[in-house]
Amino acid sequence: MTSTPFAQLSLYPATPEQTIESRKRTADQWARGLSLEAYLERDSIMDKHQHAAGGKLVTWVLAPRNDPTTLDFLCSCETYRRTGIVAKRAKEVDAREVREVTAYGIASVYTPPRNRGKGYAKYMMRLLHWALAPRSALPPSFPAEWGTPPDEELLRSVGVANGQFSVLYSDVGKDFYQAAGLGSTTKDGWVVNGALETAKLIDPSAAATATDEAHGLNIQKLSEEDVIALYDRDTAWIKDDLSRFAGDTDRTLFSFFPDKGVGAFVVRRVMEFKDGLKPVLPSTRWGLAVLPPGTRDLKDALGREGLGPLHFVTWTLDLSTTPRTLTVARLRADVNTFPVILDQLLAVAREEKVEKVELWYLRPELRAVADAKGWSTRERPEHLSAVKWYGDEGEEELEWVYNEKFCWC
């Protein structure tokens, strides 16, 4: 089959019919045991949640310019508009510049087998920069061999063309998305950043040991609702953290906030279906919090003035992979509470009958604690976190703080 010249193609926000068609195609890759009906129902349910509602989720298609609404589009992807934070030390003064920005998570990049090997996906991702970034952050001229750029008025109508950065999680190695740059031959695309895991394999049939005890700390189990309440407060704590960290480095620091449904996404997405299409979560527990002395429960702790950030861990479950895995979504701890949290995670993992526990991001002092307790750190074999920065800073001038599973998509 012959290829369509790139100049005859462009990137378009999908129609509702194209969105459904895109999801039907991706089911072949990512349904993981769900029927097609259940897979589509899950996405329909997720569309209504805060992380996606109100136009935050956009499905994109690469389609012919003369037939942009066709269901025979060449490939597709999704973007989630989110709130990010950027912090850096102000020049020549003892102060920090901290600002909230628009940023994007990119997901579900998919080309059907019949269209593979023709460069369509890479071209789509090159065009995606021209959709997500403000024009001021892009080259002065659009590559002539691509025809005309995505329509600015159309982009504004779906709330894009305003991103400070975008991220994705590659399952095809480091090179493909970095090669999808802003020009025809440039390789200034998404650069893998901090794609590490600190993990331990366990025997889920082993009984919990004495080391799984809480060592005198007041540990509360967290429901989905508790996690959401904690994330609402954690947003301010993250902002304070980055402001403080920025005083100790010349790098520009950035992160996402876990509120507004962003962190809840990795919990809700693992829903299963019982009795037809009735969604249920595979667990009722999604985290642990260390409560300060004198507080009764999480609500009491969050309502107390002057207590400062709570230490906690949240997680998601991947029960359809081998090994079955508990992945930490968000961690807030220090060298005193982290050893207890690690032991608690192993106890939870046994109760949930998983075989692996992994964390994606640890500050150096916490990684040293994990190393001392026999956890191992390596580059992740998949879900490689990669970032494209739409600004003046170079790759070596950036640091992604809290590059954890809570912002995965």
Side-chain angles (χ1 to χ4, degrees), residues 60-98:
W60 300 89
V61 297
L62 183 70
R65 293 179 185 272
N66 62 2
D67 193 8
T69 63
T70 178
L71 296 184
D72 192 25
F73 53 86
L74 301 165
C75 51
S76 60
C77 64
E78 297 173 344
T79 59
Y80 293 89
R81 187 176 68 249
R82 296 173 167 178
T83 301
I85 179 172
V86 176
K88 63 180 178 180
R89 186 163 54 190
K91 295 180 180 179
E92 300 176 356
V93 294
D94 185 19
R96 284 76 154 157
E97 298 174 1
V98 182

mmCIF file of all heavy atoms in Angstrom, residues 60-98:
data_model
loop_
_atom_site.group_PDB
_atom_site.id
_atom_site.type_symbol
_atom_site.label_atom_id
_atom_site.label_comp_id
_atom_site.label_asym_id
_atom_site.label_seq_id
_atom_site.Cartn_x
_atom_site.Cartn_y
_atom_site.Cartn_z
ATOM 1 N N TRP A 60 -6.571 13.118 19.331
ATOM 2 C CA TRP A 60 -6.068 13.710 18.087
ATOM 3 C C TRP A 60 -5.945 12.634 17.022
ATOM 4 O O TRP A 60 -5.584 11.488 17.326
ATOM 5 C CB TRP A 60 -4.692 14.332 18.310
ATOM 6 C CG TRP A 60 -4.671 15.419 19.348
ATOM 7 C CD1 TRP A 60 -4.474 15.275 20.687
ATOM 8 C CD2 TRP A 60 -4.856 16.818 19.113
ATOM 9 N NE1 TRP A 60 -4.526 16.496 21.312
ATOM 10 C CE2 TRP A 60 -4.753 17.461 20.373
ATOM 11 C CE3 TRP A 60 -5.096 17.592 17.973
ATOM 12 C CZ2 TRP A 60 -4.880 18.843 20.516
ATOM 13 C CZ3 TRP A 60 -5.220 18.960 18.119
ATOM 14 C CH2 TRP A 60 -5.115 19.581 19.375
ATOM 15 N N VAL A 61 -6.233 13.007 15.782
ATOM 16 C CA VAL A 61 -6.065 12.075 14.660
ATOM 17 C C VAL A 61 -5.226 12.723 13.572
ATOM 18 O O VAL A 61 -5.304 13.940 13.344
ATOM 19 C CB VAL A 61 -7.426 11.632 14.076
ATOM 20 C CG1 VAL A 61 -8.226 10.868 15.122
ATOM 21 C CG2 VAL A 61 -8.223 12.808 13.548
ATOM 22 N N LEU A 62 -4.422 11.908 12.925
ATOM 23 C CA LEU A 62 -3.714 12.320 11.719
ATOM 24 C C LEU A 62 -4.594 11.903 10.551
ATOM 25 O O LEU A 62 -4.833 10.705 10.339
ATOM 26 C CB LEU A 62 -2.346 11.653 11.632
ATOM 27 C CG LEU A 62 -1.488 12.080 10.442
ATOM 28 C CD1 LEU A 62 -1.013 13.526 10.601
ATOM 29 C CD2 LEU A 62 -0.278 11.145 10.269
ATOM 30 N N ALA A 63 -5.097 12.885 9.813
ATOM 31 C CA ALA A 63 -6.094 12.601 8.779
ATOM 32 C C ALA A 63 -5.828 13.450 7.544
ATOM 33 O O ALA A 63 -5.130 14.469 7.605
ATOM 34 C CB ALA A 63 -7.493 12.884 9.322
ATOM 35 N N PRO A 64 -6.407 13.056 6.399
ATOM 36 C CA PRO A 64 -6.233 13.855 5.177
ATOM 37 C C PRO A 64 -6.840 15.247 5.338
ATOM 38 O O PRO A 64 -7.913 15.418 5.935
ATOM 39 C CB PRO A 64 -6.985 13.044 4.120
ATOM 40 C CG PRO A 64 -7.063 11.660 4.665
ATOM 41 C CD PRO A 64 -7.171 11.814 6.150
ATOM 42 N N ARG A 65 -6.165 16.240 4.794
ATOM 43 C CA ARG A 65 -6.674 17.609 4.852
ATOM 44 C C ARG A 65 -8.022 17.722 4.136
ATOM 45 O O ARG A 65 -8.864 18.540 4.527
ATOM 46 C CB ARG A 65 -5.674 18.569 4.213
ATOM 47 C CG ARG A 65 -4.359 18.697 4.980
ATOM 48 C CD ARG A 65 -3.396 19.655 4.265
ATOM 49 N NE ARG A 65 -2.102 19.698 4.928
ATOM 50 C CZ ARG A 65 -1.774 20.517 5.928
ATOM 51 N NH1 ARG A 65 -2.689 21.351 6.394
ATOM 52 N NH2 ARG A 65 -0.576 20.488 6.465
ATOM 53 N N ASN A 66 -8.230 16.894 3.112
ATOM 54 C CA ASN A 66 -9.478 17.001 2.354
ATOM 55 C C ASN A 66 -10.602 16.138 2.936
ATOM 56 O O ASN A 66 -11.706 16.102 2.401
ATOM 57 C CB ASN A 66 -9.245 16.634 0.886
ATOM 58 C CG ASN A 66 -8.778 15.191 0.695
ATOM 59 O OD1 ASN A 66 -8.660 14.437 1.660
ATOM 60 N ND2 ASN A 66 -8.519 14.803 -0.549
ATOM 61 N N ASP A 67 -10.316 15.448 4.046
ATOM 62 C CA ASP A 67 -11.347 14.617 4.677
ATOM 63 C C ASP A 67 -11.008 14.438 6.165
ATOM 64 O O ASP A 67 -10.806 13.312 6.640
ATOM 65 C CB ASP A 67 -11.440 13.258 3.983
ATOM 66 C CG ASP A 67 -12.683 12.476 4.380
ATOM 67 O OD1 ASP A 67 -13.551 13.044 5.067
ATOM 68 O OD2 ASP A 67 -12.768 11.282 4.016
ATOM 69 N N PRO A 68 -10.963 15.518 6.931
ATOM 70 C CA PRO A 68 -10.459 15.437 8.311
ATOM 71 C C PRO A 68 -11.334 14.639 9.266
ATOM 72 O O PRO A 68 -10.858 14.236 10.331
ATOM 73 C CB PRO A 68 -10.374 16.909 8.731
ATOM 74 C CG PRO A 68 -11.342 17.630 7.846
ATOM 75 C CD PRO A 68 -11.296 16.901 6.542
ATOM 76 N N THR A 69 -12.583 14.405 8.939
ATOM 77 C CA THR A 69 -13.469 13.666 9.852
ATOM 78 C C THR A 69 -13.606 12.186 9.487
ATOM 79 O O THR A 69 -14.407 11.472 10.092
ATOM 80 C CB THR A 69 -14.868 14.307 9.879
ATOM 81 O OG1 THR A 69 -15.448 14.224 8.576
ATOM 82 C CG2 THR A 69 -14.788 15.762 10.314
ATOM 83 N N THR A 70 -12.810 11.715 8.545
ATOM 84 C CA THR A 70 -12.893 10.325 8.133
ATOM 85 C C THR A 70 -12.608 9.373 9.286
ATOM 86 O O THR A 70 -11.787 9.667 10.169
ATOM 87 C CB THR A 70 -11.915 10.032 6.990
ATOM 88 O OG1 THR A 70 -11.995 8.637 6.644
ATOM 89 C CG2 THR A 70 -10.478 10.329 7.379
ATOM 90 N N LEU A 71 -13.256 8.228 9.272
ATOM 91 C CA LEU A 71 -12.935 7.184 10.246
ATOM 92 C C LEU A 71 -11.745 6.348 9.806
ATOM 93 O O LEU A 71 -11.260 5.502 10.569
ATOM 94 C CB LEU A 71 -14.155 6.273 10.457
ATOM 95 C CG LEU A 71 -15.389 6.931 11.066
ATOM 96 C CD1 LEU A 71 -16.487 5.893 11.302
ATOM 97 C CD2 LEU A 71 -15.039 7.643 12.377
ATOM 98 N N ASP A 72 -11.246 6.613 8.608
ATOM 99 C CA ASP A 72 -10.066 5.915 8.102
ATOM 100 C C ASP A 72 -8.816 6.771 8.336
ATOM 101 O O ASP A 72 -7.952 6.874 7.469
ATOM 102 C CB ASP A 72 -10.235 5.593 6.613
ATOM 103 C CG ASP A 72 -9.174 4.616 6.113
ATOM 104 O OD1 ASP A 72 -8.644 3.846 6.946
ATOM 105 O OD2 ASP A 72 -8.871 4.645 4.908
ATOM 106 N N PHE A 73 -8.735 7.413 9.503
ATOM 107 C CA PHE A 73 -7.540 8.205 9.828
ATOM 108 C C PHE A 73 -6.355 7.270 10.019
ATOM 109 O O PHE A 73 -6.505 6.055 10.223
ATOM 110 C CB PHE A 73 -7.787 9.070 11.058
ATOM 111 C CG PHE A 73 -8.304 8.327 12.259
ATOM 112 C CD1 PHE A 73 -7.437 7.697 13.153
ATOM 113 C CD2 PHE A 73 -9.670 8.236 12.515
ATOM 114 C CE1 PHE A 73 -7.907 7.009 14.248
ATOM 115 C CE2 PHE A 73 -10.158 7.541 13.618
ATOM 116 C CZ PHE A 73 -9.277 6.918 14.485
ATOM 117 N N LEU A 74 -5.147 7.844 9.982
ATOM 118 C CA LEU A 74 -3.944 7.031 9.895
ATOM 119 C C LEU A 74 -3.401 6.598 11.252
ATOM 120 O O LEU A 74 -2.857 5.509 11.389
ATOM 121 C CB LEU A 74 -2.874 7.794 9.105
ATOM 122 C CG LEU A 74 -3.349 8.140 7.681
ATOM 123 C CD1 LEU A 74 -2.471 9.186 7.040
ATOM 124 C CD2 LEU A 74 -3.392 6.882 6.830
ATOM 125 N N CYS A 75 -3.515 7.448 12.265
ATOM 126 C CA CYS A 75 -3.065 7.114 13.612
ATOM 127 C C CYS A 75 -3.676 8.131 14.571
ATOM 128 O O CYS A 75 -4.317 9.106 14.129
ATOM 129 C CB CYS A 75 -1.534 7.091 13.724
ATOM 130 S SG CYS A 75 -0.691 8.552 13.087
ATOM 131 N N SER A 76 -3.494 7.920 15.861
ATOM 132 C CA SER A 76 -4.150 8.788 16.833
ATOM 133 C C SER A 76 -3.355 8.823 18.129
ATOM 134 O O SER A 76 -2.471 7.991 18.383
ATOM 135 C CB SER A 76 -5.581 8.311 17.105
ATOM 136 O OG SER A 76 -5.579 6.988 17.625
ATOM 137 N N CYS A 77 -3.696 9.790 18.974
ATOM 138 C CA CYS A 77 -3.126 9.884 20.317
ATOM 139 C C CYS A 77 -4.078 10.706 21.181
ATOM 140 O O CYS A 77 -5.095 11.219 20.686
ATOM 141 C CB CYS A 77 -1.729 10.522 20.303
ATOM 142 S SG CYS A 77 -1.686 12.240 19.759
ATOM 143 N N GLU A 78 -3.760 10.822 22.463
ATOM 144 C CA GLU A 78 -4.575 11.605 23.392
ATOM 145 C C GLU A 78 -3.684 12.568 24.163
ATOM 146 O O GLU A 78 -2.509 12.281 24.404
ATOM 147 C CB GLU A 78 -5.281 10.690 24.401
ATOM 148 C CG GLU A 78 -6.258 9.711 23.791
ATOM 149 C CD GLU A 78 -6.794 8.717 24.805
ATOM 150 O OE1 GLU A 78 -6.192 8.586 25.894
ATOM 151 O OE2 GLU A 78 -7.810 8.065 24.500
ATOM 152 N N THR A 79 -4.259 13.703 24.569
ATOM 153 C CA THR A 79 -3.553 14.617 25.460
ATOM 154 C C THR A 79 -4.471 15.003 26.617
ATOM 155 O O THR A 79 -5.685 15.144 26.446
ATOM 156 C CB THR A 79 -3.082 15.895 24.743
ATOM 157 O OG1 THR A 79 -4.211 16.586 24.180
ATOM 158 C CG2 THR A 79 -2.075 15.572 23.663
ATOM 159 N N TYR A 80 -3.859 15.165 27.781
ATOM 160 C CA TYR A 80 -4.557 15.625 28.976
ATOM 161 C C TYR A 80 -3.958 16.968 29.395
ATOM 162 O O TYR A 80 -2.757 17.049 29.666
ATOM 163 C CB TYR A 80 -4.390 14.627 30.122
ATOM 164 C CG TYR A 80 -5.066 13.294 29.902
ATOM 165 C CD1 TYR A 80 -4.396 12.254 29.263
ATOM 166 C CD2 TYR A 80 -6.367 13.080 30.336
ATOM 167 C CE1 TYR A 80 -5.016 11.023 29.066
ATOM 168 C CE2 TYR A 80 -6.997 11.854 30.137
ATOM 169 C CZ TYR A 80 -6.310 10.834 29.504
ATOM 170 O OH TYR A 80 -6.930 9.620 29.305
ATOM 171 N N ARG A 81 -4.794 17.983 29.437
ATOM 172 C CA ARG A 81 -4.334 19.299 29.903
ATOM 173 C C ARG A 81 -4.337 19.323 31.422
ATOM 174 O O ARG A 81 -5.338 18.991 32.055
ATOM 175 C CB ARG A 81 -5.237 20.404 29.352
ATOM 176 C CG ARG A 81 -4.735 21.813 29.660
ATOM 177 C CD ARG A 81 -5.596 22.884 29.013
ATOM 178 N NE ARG A 81 -6.928 22.962 29.588
ATOM 179 C CZ ARG A 81 -8.047 22.614 28.953
ATOM 180 N NH1 ARG A 81 -7.991 22.135 27.725
ATOM 181 N NH2 ARG A 81 -9.221 22.737 29.549
ATOM 182 N N ARG A 82 -3.208 19.720 32.008
ATOM 183 C CA ARG A 82 -3.032 19.665 33.449
ATOM 184 C C ARG A 82 -2.337 20.925 33.951
ATOM 185 O O ARG A 82 -1.747 21.676 33.171
ATOM 186 C CB ARG A 82 -2.192 18.440 33.830
ATOM 187 C CG ARG A 82 -2.879 17.130 33.492
ATOM 188 C CD ARG A 82 -2.010 15.934 33.715
ATOM 189 N NE ARG A 82 -2.818 14.707 33.676
ATOM 190 C CZ ARG A 82 -2.322 13.497 33.800
ATOM 191 N NH1 ARG A 82 -1.016 13.327 33.951
ATOM 192 N NH2 ARG A 82 -3.112 12.439 33.777
ATOM 193 N N THR A 83 -2.371 21.099 35.263
ATOM 194 C CA THR A 83 -1.655 22.208 35.878
ATOM 195 C C THR A 83 -0.286 21.721 36.321
ATOM 196 O O THR A 83 -0.156 20.722 37.035
ATOM 197 C CB THR A 83 -2.419 22.761 37.095
ATOM 198 O OG1 THR A 83 -3.709 23.194 36.666
ATOM 199 C CG2 THR A 83 -1.672 23.945 37.701
ATOM 200 N N GLY A 84 0.738 22.440 35.875
ATOM 201 C CA GLY A 84 2.095 22.156 36.299
ATOM 202 C C GLY A 84 2.630 23.298 37.141
ATOM 203 O O GLY A 84 1.998 24.353 37.285
ATOM 204 N N ILE A 85 3.799 23.087 37.703
ATOM 205 C CA ILE A 85 4.461 24.119 38.480
ATOM 206 C C ILE A 85 5.913 24.200 38.040
ATOM 207 O O ILE A 85 6.544 23.176 37.760
ATOM 208 C CB ILE A 85 4.357 23.847 39.996
ATOM 209 C CG1 ILE A 85 5.075 24.937 40.793
ATOM 210 C CG2 ILE A 85 4.864 22.467 40.352
ATOM 211 C CD1 ILE A 85 4.862 24.852 42.278
ATOM 212 N N VAL A 86 6.424 25.411 37.950
ATOM 213 C CA VAL A 86 7.806 25.666 37.571
ATOM 214 C C VAL A 86 8.422 26.560 38.639
ATOM 215 O O VAL A 86 7.798 27.541 39.069
ATOM 216 C CB VAL A 86 7.895 26.348 36.191
ATOM 217 C CG1 VAL A 86 9.343 26.708 35.854
ATOM 218 C CG2 VAL A 86 7.314 25.438 35.114
ATOM 219 N N ALA A 87 9.634 26.224 39.067
ATOM 220 C CA ALA A 87 10.313 27.017 40.088
ATOM 221 C C ALA A 87 11.785 27.147 39.739
ATOM 222 O O ALA A 87 12.416 26.192 39.279
ATOM 223 C CB ALA A 87 10.162 26.377 41.469
ATOM 224 N N LYS A 88 12.332 28.325 39.935
ATOM 225 C CA LYS A 88 13.764 28.539 39.755
ATOM 226 C C LYS A 88 14.215 29.688 40.618
ATOM 227 O O LYS A 88 13.430 30.539 41.030
ATOM 228 C CB LYS A 88 14.100 28.787 38.292
ATOM 229 C CG LYS A 88 13.486 30.026 37.674
ATOM 230 C CD LYS A 88 13.900 30.140 36.215
ATOM 231 C CE LYS A 88 13.277 31.346 35.545
ATOM 232 N NZ LYS A 88 13.680 31.457 34.123
ATOM 233 N N ARG A 89 15.501 29.679 40.888
ATOM 234 C CA ARG A 89 16.070 30.739 41.703
ATOM 235 C C ARG A 89 16.155 32.012 40.874
ATOM 236 O O ARG A 89 16.639 32.014 39.745
ATOM 237 C CB ARG A 89 17.454 30.327 42.193
ATOM 238 C CG ARG A 89 18.075 31.310 43.176
ATOM 239 C CD ARG A 89 19.218 30.662 43.937
ATOM 240 N NE ARG A 89 20.211 30.090 43.038
ATOM 241 C CZ ARG A 89 21.203 29.295 43.439
ATOM 242 N NH1 ARG A 89 21.291 28.971 44.715
ATOM 243 N NH2 ARG A 89 22.086 28.827 42.593
ATOM 244 N N ALA A 90 15.668 33.118 41.437
ATOM 245 C CA ALA A 90 15.708 34.392 40.724
ATOM 246 C C ALA A 90 17.146 34.864 40.594
ATOM 247 O O ALA A 90 17.979 34.647 41.483
ATOM 248 C CB ALA A 90 14.873 35.430 41.454
ATOM 249 N N LYS A 91 17.451 35.505 39.503
ATOM 250 C CA LYS A 91 18.805 35.970 39.231
ATOM 251 C C LYS A 91 19.183 37.128 40.147
ATOM 252 O O LYS A 91 18.422 38.077 40.314
ATOM 253 C CB LYS A 91 18.937 36.400 37.773
ATOM 254 C CG LYS A 91 18.775 35.259 36.773
ATOM 255 C CD LYS A 91 18.908 35.741 35.344
ATOM 256 C CE LYS A 91 18.755 34.585 34.358
ATOM 257 N NZ LYS A 91 18.847 35.037 32.953
ATOM 258 N N GLU A 92 20.340 37.014 40.747
ATOM 259 C CA GLU A 92 20.987 38.093 41.494
ATOM 260 C C GLU A 92 20.248 38.494 42.758
ATOM 261 O O GLU A 92 20.557 39.499 43.375
ATOM 262 C CB GLU A 92 21.183 39.338 40.608
ATOM 263 C CG GLU A 92 22.049 39.057 39.387
ATOM 264 C CD GLU A 92 22.147 40.269 38.469
ATOM 265 O OE1 GLU A 92 21.482 41.285 38.743
ATOM 266 O OE2 GLU A 92 22.919 40.188 37.500
ATOM 267 N N VAL A 93 19.238 37.743 43.176
ATOM 268 C CA VAL A 93 18.549 38.033 44.429
ATOM 269 C C VAL A 93 18.261 36.721 45.133
ATOM 270 O O VAL A 93 18.176 35.661 44.509
ATOM 271 C CB VAL A 93 17.222 38.803 44.210
ATOM 272 C CG1 VAL A 93 17.483 40.183 43.659
ATOM 273 C CG2 VAL A 93 16.273 38.029 43.313
ATOM 274 N N ASP A 94 18.112 36.786 46.443
ATOM 275 C CA ASP A 94 17.803 35.585 47.209
ATOM 276 C C ASP A 94 16.292 35.380 47.227
ATOM 277 O O ASP A 94 15.611 35.638 48.217
ATOM 278 C CB ASP A 94 18.341 35.730 48.632
ATOM 279 C CG ASP A 94 18.151 34.439 49.429
ATOM 280 O OD1 ASP A 94 17.955 33.383 48.802
ATOM 281 O OD2 ASP A 94 18.201 34.507 50.672
ATOM 282 N N ALA A 95 15.775 34.958 46.094
ATOM 283 C CA ALA A 95 14.330 34.765 45.959
ATOM 284 C C ALA A 95 14.076 33.667 44.948
ATOM 285 O O ALA A 95 14.971 33.253 44.214
ATOM 286 C CB ALA A 95 13.653 36.064 45.527
ATOM 287 N N ARG A 96 12.842 33.165 44.921
ATOM 288 C CA ARG A 96 12.449 32.112 43.985
ATOM 289 C C ARG A 96 11.323 32.605 43.102
ATOM 290 O O ARG A 96 10.435 33.317 43.556
ATOM 291 C CB ARG A 96 11.958 30.879 44.729
ATOM 292 C CG ARG A 96 13.057 30.020 45.351
ATOM 293 C CD ARG A 96 13.599 30.634 46.585
ATOM 294 N NE ARG A 96 14.158 29.646 47.498
ATOM 295 C CZ ARG A 96 15.055 29.956 48.411
ATOM 296 N NH1 ARG A 96 15.508 31.194 48.521
ATOM 297 N NH2 ARG A 96 15.506 29.033 49.239
ATOM 298 N N GLU A 97 11.391 32.204 41.856
ATOM 299 C CA GLU A 97 10.293 32.452 40.933
ATOM 300 C C GLU A 97 9.484 31.159 40.836
ATOM 301 O O GLU A 97 9.980 30.153 40.346
ATOM 302 C CB GLU A 97 10.826 32.849 39.558
ATOM 303 C CG GLU A 97 11.648 34.130 39.547
ATOM 304 C CD GLU A 97 12.275 34.404 38.176
ATOM 305 O OE1 GLU A 97 12.033 33.598 37.251
ATOM 306 O OE2 GLU A 97 13.004 35.389 38.061
ATOM 307 N N VAL A 98 8.271 31.189 41.335
ATOM 308 C CA VAL A 98 7.403 30.009 41.327
ATOM 309 C C VAL A 98 6.118 30.374 40.603
ATOM 310 O O VAL A 98 5.467 31.368 40.949
ATOM 311 C CB VAL A 98 7.082 29.537 42.759
ATOM 312 C CG1 VAL A 98 6.214 28.276 42.722
ATOM 313 C CG2 VAL A 98 8.366 29.272 43.538
#
